[in-house]
Amino acid sequence: MIEKHFILATAGHVDHGKSALVKALTGTDPDRLPEEKARGITIDLGFAHLELSAPPSTFNPQPSTFSVGIVDVPGHEDFVRNMIAGIGSIDLALLVVAADDGWMPQTEEHLQILTYLGVKRIVVALTKSDLGRVDIVRTKIREQLKETPFAEAPIIPTSVRAGEGIENLKSALASEFAALFPPRDIGKPRLFVDRAFKLQGIGTVVTGTLTGGTLRTGDTVSVQPRNISAHIRSLQTHGRDVDLAQPGMRTAISLPELGLDHIKRGDVIVATAYGLSSTLDVVLTRSARLQRTPPIKSGTSAYVHHGTTRALAKIILADTGALSAGENAIAQLRLETPLLVFVGDRLIVRDASEQRTIAGGLVFDLDSKDSRRSKERALLATRAVAPDDIALAVWTEVSAKGIIDPARMLEQSRFSATEIRTALERLAEHGEIFLSENVGAKMLVWRELRNRAAQLVDADHKAHPERRGLDLNELRASFASISAQVFDALIVDLSQTDFIRAGSTIARRSHRASLPPELKAAQEKIRATLSAKPFDPPSRKDLLNNERDHQALRFLIEQEEVVELNSEIVLTRAAAEQMRKVVVQTLSGNCSATASQLRQKIDTTRRVIIPFLEYLDRIGVTQRTGDVRQLRETKSGAVARR
Ligand SMILES: Nc1nc2c(ncn2[C@@H]2O[C@H](COP(=O)(O)OP(=O)(O)OP(=O)(O)O)[C@@H](O)[C@H]2O)c(=O)[nH]1
Ligand SMILES: [Mg+2]
């Protein structure tokens, strides 16, 4: 038997029979507060559990059940805020319309909220069928649903008084769940806390609907936005202990380390410490059904509801001064208190006096820089058209941002790391982006970087034909705006084609260093001077008189005709070779000798022998122990014979 987990929430006008229906479906009265009992209305969220058998299906012959967590919301206009907190992560809504009352203001407002939140399917319960003209009301409801995403939604007449329609409703719900994909596991669990309370002997417990990933007992979690870390002592779903909570489960978490002052409704429990955002780039949508509501002007303050919380925000419209009913626009929401938000999340916007729901939003970018150009913003905003499209999300990210870190890209989004990586690889295969382990870049941007580097290398070859190549530090200085990681990837990429890295320089593969005629004389002079007293040459300072001498010496060093012992002393390669031979001979047979003994053998000076022996140590020929030198043992145990 397969068990699938879903979340269902009620919706609809006050007093239309939502809670009574939940009780009839589940046996649980979702109204739990004394004040709710006294006033006969729902004030805060209520919860219940419904087990449904899946309808038999040829596609899915294995019997399965739906374990449905029900969130019962208040219908009263004063508690819309609570209603929104209840429906942030639902799979299906049960819109309740009473036969005696028909379509009412909060039926409409709740319907708009469901639409803004991207709820795909609803079932309509036409309640109190014992009190009204079912056929007429049904036609009116159908009329209202026209041109909404729910035009085809089933409408099921019910009466808890007469005990009618409950079984029909159950099978309508089961058919809907059968058509839904189970909630996604993208490896990024988030639980928006809707209740926090203390239980005797257990301590602090919080509840919420788990989305995006799993949680296990013993897991370390982080409570945001206050960034408090805690351990999960135990997990429950619908009063049953579990070791593992999955997406789509109503989940109770015991967090005994925390006090009630650490956690409350509106907080988010996550497994990774994500960043909080204070500016959200969104596409705002206003229902065409909003009547007699003034346009939203840019600069307006409003409440932004997200998950189980809300924050006051300033709405900055990007391309227009005002947003009327039936329109949508790109906007930036500047939050007074930062929230943990993912790209792809949906929001509800209510006016500052909390009287009306004025818009819905889809987040397409987090904490964007003000410098982001409107073209890039518009590109990112196309995500709102197909928020589940991973290829679109990845392509727009790379296109708008130019260069990204593939490991962290869209980390705060509703896609898994694997989905993101696969989409990046596909773009790379098609030549749309450059992709390496640490860097992803739009091909256009990458080519520009490559061209710029190539031009600098070429310019250096031209200006200094005697040089082996352009010094990497010098090249790096011309790429101040990119990170070290990106620069490294650029050099690796260049080295895979027309360029070659040699030591600390980079050059065209075709480049052969050659001394320009005007430096030939300097070269000859250096050669002659060094060869005159090969084992005791003049110091660099005395050797070099002008810039040409410097360039010529550098050429000879790069050509390996001259060996650089240190910043003071250079030798001809021939001299260095002879000296090395004498040292190896003297030390072979496991002998050792002091610097002074070796100096005498070679007939050189102390000024030269010390840096020379240090050079031999450096290149692995000799090793120094106290005052004496020995040949370095190679790994095989044999003596180096270089
Ligand atoms: N005649 C009749 N009355 C009903 C039926 N269902 C509910 N009621 C009554 O309608 C009233 C409101 O029912 P609730 O279930 O509390 O309504 P609600 O939609 O949950 O209200 P709020 O949560 O406050 O928005 C109660 O007095 C119920 O007894 C029904 O099928 N027939
Ligand atoms: Mg109720």
Side-chain angles (χ1 to χ4, degrees):
M1 186 76 92
I2 301 168
E3 198 183 43
K4 292 182 183 161
H5 301 273
F6 291 105
I7 303 291
L8 171 79
T10 57
H13 198 73
V14 65
D15 219 27
H16 276 201
K18 297 179 288 299
S19 304
L21 196 56
V22 168
K23 183 161 187 207
L25 285 168
T26 66
T28 306
D29 179 358
D31 287 336
R32 60 205 155 79
L33 305 174
E35 196 189 345
E36 290 176 323
K37 304 269 190 226
R39 289 172 67 183
I41 61 165
T42 303
I43 294 168
D44 206 352
L45 303 172
F47 304 95
H49 179 219
L50 177 63
E51 289 279 343
L52 291 172
S53 317
S57 144
T58 40
F59 300 113
N60 199 358
Q62 240 182 321
S64 54
T65 59
F66 301 129
S67 173
V68 183
I70 299 186
V71 182
D72 182 42
V73 308
H76 195 284
E77 60 177 324
D78 288 350
F79 309 126
V80 176
R81 176 183 171 186
N82 292 341
M83 181 269 175
I84 297 170
I87 61 162
S89 334
I90 65 170
D91 302 292
L92 184 70
L94 177 60
L95 182 67
V96 167
V97 187
D100 54 344
D101 236 6
W103 199 269
M104 294 294 280
Q106 268 62 54
T107 324
E108 178 62 33
E109 186 172 12
H110 286 192
L111 180 95
Q112 288 179 16
I113 290 170
L114 293 171
T115 312
Y116 292 145
L117 288 181
V119 172
K120 300 222 164 49
R121 303 180 74 105
I122 64 170
V123 169
V124 181
L126 205 178
T127 51
K128 309 195 188 181
S129 64
D130 55 302
L131 293 183
R133 305 273 313 269
V134 166
D135 289 343
I136 296 171
V137 184
R138 189 208 306 262
T139 311
K140 287 193 170 153
I141 294 171
R142 192 56 80 198
E143 194 64 29
Q144 290 285 359
L145 292 178
K146 250 192 207 165
E147 288 164 29
T148 75
F150 317 118
E152 309 294 327
I155 302 173
I156 315 291
T158 61
S159 166
V160 300
R161 184 96 12 117
E164 276 169 12
I166 303 301
E167 287 311 309
N168 283 346
L169 181 59
K170 281 186 182 172
S171 50
L173 293 173
S175 320
E176 291 297 322
F177 288 124
L180 285 176
F181 286 109
R184 298 208 332 129
D185 182 345
I186 52 165
K188 301 176 181 179
R190 280 193 293 174
L191 182 133
F192 296 99
V193 174
D194 47 39
R195 275 187 302 164
F197 48 89
K198 257 201 177 353
L199 281 183
Q200 189 97 46
I202 291 177
T204 297
V205 174
V206 300
T207 67
T209 300
L210 182 59
T211 63
T214 56
L215 290 176
R216 281 177 190 280
T217 52
D219 279 358
T220 308
V221 289
S222 141
V223 180
Q224 297 295 344
R226 271 171 292 174
N227 196 22
I228 301 169
S229 127
H231 291 90
I232 299 180
R233 163 77 64 79
S234 61
L235 288 166
Q236 279 197 348
T237 181
H238 305 300
R240 181 160 54 89
D241 283 325
V242 289
D243 290 327
L244 173 80
Q246 289 169 304
M249 275 189 182
R250 285 293 311 163
T251 308
I253 310 180
S254 114
L255 298 167
E257 295 152 311
L258 301 187
L260 278 186
D261 46 341
H262 294 126
I263 192 162
K264 59 175 189 338
R265 173 179 290 180
D267 290 348
V268 196
I269 292 181
V270 282
T272 314
Y274 299 106
L276 305 180
S277 303
S278 355
T279 45
L280 309 175
D281 281 356
V282 301
V283 169
L284 282 187
T285 305
R286 301 200 74 193
S287 173
R289 299 156 68 106
L290 283 169
Q291 288 157 0
R292 294 188 303 276
T293 37
I296 300 176
K297 293 209 182 84
S298 192
T300 303
S301 285
Y303 277 106
V304 169
H305 294 247
H306 173 260
T308 51
T309 192
R310 58 161 199 181
L312 204 55
K314 190 169 260 191
I315 303 174
I316 308 294
L317 297 170
D319 317 306
T320 171
L323 182 65
S324 300
E327 296 179 343
N328 52 51
I330 296 175
Q332 188 160 74
L333 305 177
R334 301 196 180 147
L335 307 177
E336 269 193 5
T337 43
L339 299 175
L340 192 158
V341 180
F342 280 9
V343 165
D345 281 357
R346 311 242 186 189
L347 311 160
I348 298 296
V349 183
R350 303 199 82 224
D351 70 323
S353 62
E354 301 197 75
Q355 301 292 306
R356 280 190 309 258
T357 300
I358 56 175
L362 187 127
V363 179
F364 66 80
D365 198 19
L366 304 171
D367 290 313
S368 72
K369 297 187 194 80
D370 273 347
S371 60
R372 179 150 295 150
R373 286 178 303 172
S374 64
K375 206 177 91 192
E376 290 155 1
R377 187 166 281 138
L379 183 67
L380 289 169
T382 59
R383 289 173 177 175
V385 178
D388 301 329
D389 188 335
I390 173 70
L392 178 67
V394 169
W395 167 240
T396 48
E397 186 81 0
V398 184
S399 291
K401 300 184 182 173
I403 298 177
I404 51 97
D405 174 356
R408 303 217 47 203
M409 156 193 211
L410 291 174
E411 199 174 28
Q412 284 181 225
S413 76
R414 300 167 81 104
F415 300 108
S416 73
T418 318
E419 286 172 320
I420 294 166
R421 187 77 209 178
T422 310
L424 279 172
E425 279 162 7
R426 196 155 298 156
L427 286 173
E429 276 163 28
H430 289 115
E432 307 266 10
I433 63 166
F434 165 83
L435 183 63
S436 73
E437 190 58 29
N438 299 320
V439 176
K442 192 181 173 184
M443 202 42 106
L444 205 71
V445 171
W446 196 249
R447 283 210 195 99
E448 269 171 30
L449 288 180
R450 281 189 56 119
N451 289 343
R452 232 172 80 206
Q455 276 166 14
L456 289 165
V457 172
D458 287 341
D460 188 73
H461 289 345
K462 205 162 165 211
H464 297 286
E466 79 285 0
R467 283 192 197 168
R468 191 159 46 164
L470 175 57
D471 194 281
L472 284 171
N473 288 325
E474 224 173 286
L475 183 64
R476 175 77 183 103
S478 310
F479 284 89
S481 66
I482 65 176
S483 70
Q485 255 184 3
V486 175
F487 183 74
D488 289 347
L490 181 64
I491 299 305
V492 169
D493 189 38
L494 287 168
S495 309
Q496 265 153 17
T497 51
D498 301 341
F499 295 84
I500 186 158
R501 208 181 146 157
S504 63
T505 68
I506 183 161
R508 285 247 177 222
R509 281 181 192 277
S510 55
H511 174 69
R512 297 285 169 270
S514 68
L515 211 58
E518 67 272 19
L519 295 184
K520 288 262 163 48
Q523 171 177 251
E524 286 316 316
K525 192 188 74 188
I526 293 170
R527 274 183 182 148
T529 318
L530 289 180
S531 306
K533 285 168 99 183
F535 305 139
D536 187 20
S539 75
R540 252 192 210 206
K541 203 162 76 240
D542 298 334
L543 189 63
L544 308 174
N545 296 319
N546 52 37
E547 179 55 28
R548 286 191 174 178
D549 291 348
H550 277 278
Q551 288 178 357
L553 178 64
R554 181 168 162 180
F555 176 76
L556 288 169
I557 293 170
E558 284 183 1
Q559 295 303 306
E560 300 186 348
E561 199 183 315
V562 168
V563 176
E564 188 175 28
L565 298 186
N566 61 17
S567 60
E568 272 263 313
I569 295 177
V570 291
L571 296 174
T572 63
R573 159 114 358 228
E577 277 299 302
Q578 282 181 38
M579 289 167 68
R580 186 176 63 85
K581 270 193 194 128
V582 174
V583 170
V584 170
Q585 256 169 24
T586 312
L587 299 182
S588 64
N590 228 352
C591 295
S592 58
T594 62
S596 165
Q597 288 163 338
L598 291 165
R599 181 182 61 76
Q600 283 162 23
K601 283 259 175 208
I602 296 169
D603 192 18
T604 176
T605 58
R606 188 161 178 81
R607 185 180 67 92
V608 172
I609 193 69
I610 299 296
F612 181 71
L613 290 174
E614 282 167 359
Y615 158 77
L616 288 185
D617 292 346
R618 223 162 41 231
I619 66 172
V621 176
T622 52
Q623 62 190 13
R624 179 180 171 171
T625 334
D627 275 351
V628 297
R629 288 287 185 319
Q630 281 178 308
L631 292 181
R632 181 186 285 271
E633 296 282 319
T634 61
K635 272 193 189 126
S636 63
V639 167
R641 298 207 190 284
R642 306 180 40 155

